[in-house]
Amino acid sequence: MANVYLGRNASVGIGFESTEGTAVASARVARLASLNLTAVSTRTRIDDLSLGTTSYLQARYLEQVEVSGSMEILCYYENGSLASFLRACIGGTWATTGGSAPYTHTLSPGAEPPAITLRTARDTLASSGALQRGDVIAGARVTSATLAASTPGILRLTINFVAMSSTPGAAPSHSLPVHDDPILSHEANRWRWNSVDYTARSISLDLENAVEGLRGFGSSSITGAAITGVRNARMTVTRYKTNDNWPDAQTAGTEADGDITFTSGTDQFRINVNSALIPDAVAIAAQSVGLNEESAVFEARDDGTDPPVQFILVNDDATAEAS
């Protein structure tokens, strides 16, 4: 098992593979807020009759290699690689409209999350401050992801993944773009669901891809990945309770579209959660100052017309993944 440590200049590059498992160069780079990489190589001894003359084992081992991990990046309207990482989470292709800046980029889910290469650079804080070590993680697919923000705070994207291989080595020479416009909680307008506006205290969009690593002859590690079950998009919203709308909607089985938009100048980031209902009981907690706080889960479905989850990014880039 490999343990990794991050320093002040940690970063991650992302590239989309044309051949699953064959590493590609990083097209975009983001700063790493956290990284948990697990590379486990297990060798199990086989006791059989192929022993040496002194009854010690000869070369008989079964090997199994497991590569998985999670990482967190901070979200920016541009120059933060958010568009690339969102495509890694849900697949699909960004569609861009607008003849001049600002441009509007829209992403809806594809059939499956794509295979990606992740190239990490983790600063070990040597005396020179130079980047010392990194990892080339090939054949990775996002199993689940969370896009979340609290008040006050910055929007963060956490992804969990399985991969075909992870090779440690010298850190890549990432060229980090200037990050000057993060997506902040106070830039959100409201959570709108069933044509009613609500002031949120926190949001968390959880994406489940039901991705499972595949194994086959000829390899001790996974040979690829496939969707094995039902994909889910669930938005959890917490607010100060001012009415009984959410509990009543949960009881009635109300289904409606929801959205929230973050805005900074001409830049925007919007999350659409369509055909969403509240599947579970609404959690209500009393605060010490006499306020009641409630949290509800809004689960999207595919109604055959609108995508269950959709991202819209507005910035000055002519293509969504330009920065």
Side-chain angles (χ1 to χ4, degrees):
M1 178 175 172
N3 295 316
V4 297
Y5 303 92
L6 297 184
R8 61 180 178 270
N9 292 321
S11 58
V12 58
I14 183 173
F16 293 86
E17 297 174 355
S18 55
T19 301
E20 186 174 8
T22 300
V24 297
S26 297
R28 302 289 173 251
V29 178
R31 288 191 181 276
L32 267 177
S34 68
L35 170 65
N36 180 10
L37 176 62
T38 302
V40 178
S41 181
T42 304
R43 294 171 180 84
T44 304
R45 196 174 84 169
I46 304 173
D47 293 324
D48 58 13
L49 298 180
S50 298
L51 302 178
T53 56
T54 55
S55 297
Y56 284 91
L57 185 75
Q58 292 185 329
R60 292 292 185 272
Y61 287 92
L62 285 175
E63 184 178 50
Q64 177 173 291
V65 179
E66 298 282 352
V67 178
S68 61
S70 63
M71 61 179 62
E72 182 184 68
I73 65 170
L74 305 181
C75 299
Y76 295 80
Y77 293 101
E78 54 188 333
N79 294 328
S81 304
L82 176 61
S84 294
F85 277 91
L86 289 177
R87 178 157 71 98
C89 291
I90 66 171
T93 302
W94 286 96
T96 299
T97 58
S100 60
Y103 300 90
T104 299
H105 316 286
T106 304
L107 180 67
S108 301
E112 62 182 23
I116 57 175
T117 297
L118 298 168
R119 294 178 179 268
T120 69
R122 35 191 171 89
D123 190 344
T124 56
L125 294 182
S127 58
S128 64
L131 293 170
Q132 302 296 306
R133 298 289 288 174
D135 312 276
V136 179
I137 304 166
R141 288 186 191 263
V142 175
T143 58
S144 62
T146 299
L147 192 62
S150 299
T151 303
I154 184 173
L155 191 68
R156 296 170 179 261
L157 174 63
T158 302
I159 67 169
N160 302 300
F161 60 87
V162 294
M164 295 172 62
S165 66
S166 175
T167 306
S173 299
H174 284 159
S175 178
L176 283 168
V178 176
H179 298 86
D180 56 2
D181 202 3
I183 302 174
L184 303 176
S185 61
H186 66 258
E187 295 167 348
N189 53 359
R190 76 291 179 273
W191 165 249
R192 183 176 180 83
W193 181 74
N194 197 24
S195 301
V196 180
D197 293 344
Y198 301 97
T199 300
R201 284 184 45 76
S202 66
I203 63 161
S204 176
L205 176 65
D206 296 307
L207 303 168
E208 294 286 343
N209 283 327
V211 167
E212 186 72 24
L214 302 176
R215 289 187 174 275
F217 288 145
S219 177
S220 60
S221 61
I222 69 169
T223 55
I227 293 177
T228 61
V230 179
R231 300 171 74 183
N232 280 316
R234 296 162 63 96
M235 175 75 89
T236 301
V237 182
T238 299
R239 67 159 184 148
Y240 286 129
K241 180 177 175 63
T242 57
N243 52 51
D244 291 323
N245 288 359
W246 293 358
D248 290 347
Q250 196 276 331
T251 302
T254 303
E255 183 179 289
D257 296 340
D259 67 80
I260 188 168
T261 302
F262 298 81
T263 303
S264 176
T266 59
D267 293 337
Q268 288 188 348
F269 178 63
R270 178 184 173 109
I271 305 171
N272 290 333
V273 180
N274 295 317
S275 299
L277 55 74
I278 303 174
D280 306 316
V282 177
I284 302 174
Q287 305 298 309
S288 60
V289 293
L291 295 171
N292 286 333
E293 197 174 75
E294 67 176 353
S295 298
V297 175
F298 300 84
E299 186 171 64
R301 75 175 181 91
D302 189 347
D303 65 359
T305 302
D306 297 317
V309 63
Q310 188 178 57
F311 301 114
I312 299 175
L313 188 61
V314 178
N315 59 28
D316 291 334
D317 292 328
T319 57
E321 297 177 57
S323 61

